[in-house]
Amino acid sequence: MMTAPAPLPIAIRRLPHGAGLPLPAYATAGAAGLDVVAAESLLLAPGARHAVATGFALAIPEGYEVQVRPRSGLALKHGVTCLNTPGTIDSDYRGEVKVILANLGDAPFPIAIGDRIAQLVPAVVQRATLVEAEVLDETARGDGGFGSTGVRC
Ligand SMILES: O=c1ccn([C@H]2C[C@H](O)[C@@H](COP(=O)(O)OP(=O)(O)OP(=O)(O)O)O2)c(=O)[nH]1
Ligand SMILES: [Mg+2]
């Protein structure tokens, strides 16, 4: 049987306006994302966006990031999504985690303190060393992209 990778410990600090709110938590035993609740209330107008407070800060271990992802229910039912999905929380960021929500729907969307608005997924970061080259190796694709292989099979 495959064994699941051990959970990554991430230090979390409650900020004053996050007092009393639940910390990000998995909704089910197999959930991939830790659900995050809003630490402020607002009415998000159609077409508007807002960096929603969460009331906590993280210290992610070096070599990892945390992705901020939308919830599909909000996206499908209300057109509310993370504008910059997946949002990137850098390992050296110590400020408040914010969720940049956008309302792509056609009705104002109310957010109450404690509403689950997004989910956090930690990920390993593969950093790169760029090696400058005069010529790149040839491939069958070459510079074809952006739909060059068509739509149908
Ligand atoms: O959804 C998000 C995305 C980012 N951040 C915070 C944590 C992250 O480490 C920092 C910078 O994010 P990013 O690199 O995506 O933004 P930037 O526009 O490149 O800002 P910077 O110049 O500060 O890196 O902002 C959030 O709180 N929520
Ligand atoms: Mg950046």
Side-chain angles (χ1 to χ4, degrees):
M1 210 176 88
M2 300 273 285
T3 48
L8 176 74
I10 299 176
I12 184 164
R13 184 169 84 91
R14 272 183 207 276
L15 303 174
H17 56 285
L21 288 177
L23 292 177
Y26 294 109
T28 66
L34 293 147
D35 286 334
V36 175
V37 305
E40 64 176 315
S41 63
L42 68 142
L43 189 63
L44 198 59
R49 58 183 182 269
H50 185 80
V52 183
T54 64
F56 66 84
L58 301 175
I60 303 164
E62 211 181 309
Y64 297 86
E65 62 164 329
V66 165
Q67 299 182 352
V68 184
R69 300 191 193 169
R71 296 187 69 206
S72 64
L74 294 182
L76 183 61
K77 291 180 204 153
H78 305 286
V80 171
T81 188
C82 297
L83 187 56
N84 57 326
T85 188
T88 305
I89 310 299
D90 298 288
S91 66
D92 56 356
Y93 179 68
R94 296 292 176 270
E96 180 176 15
V97 171
K98 298 218 173 165
V99 175
I100 304 172
L101 285 185
N103 183 353
L104 309 181
D106 45 23
F109 183 75
I111 297 168
I113 292 176
D115 284 356
R116 289 182 291 149
I117 53 170
Q119 53 191 324
L120 303 181
V121 179
V124 172
V125 171
Q126 176 66 63
R127 296 196 87 194
T129 303
L130 297 181
V131 183
E132 202 166 351
E134 289 290 332
V135 179
L136 302 178
D137 66 315
E138 285 182 22
T139 67
R141 175 182 284 277
D143 59 5
F146 314 102
S148 66
T149 65
V151 175
R152 299 219 165 91
C153 295

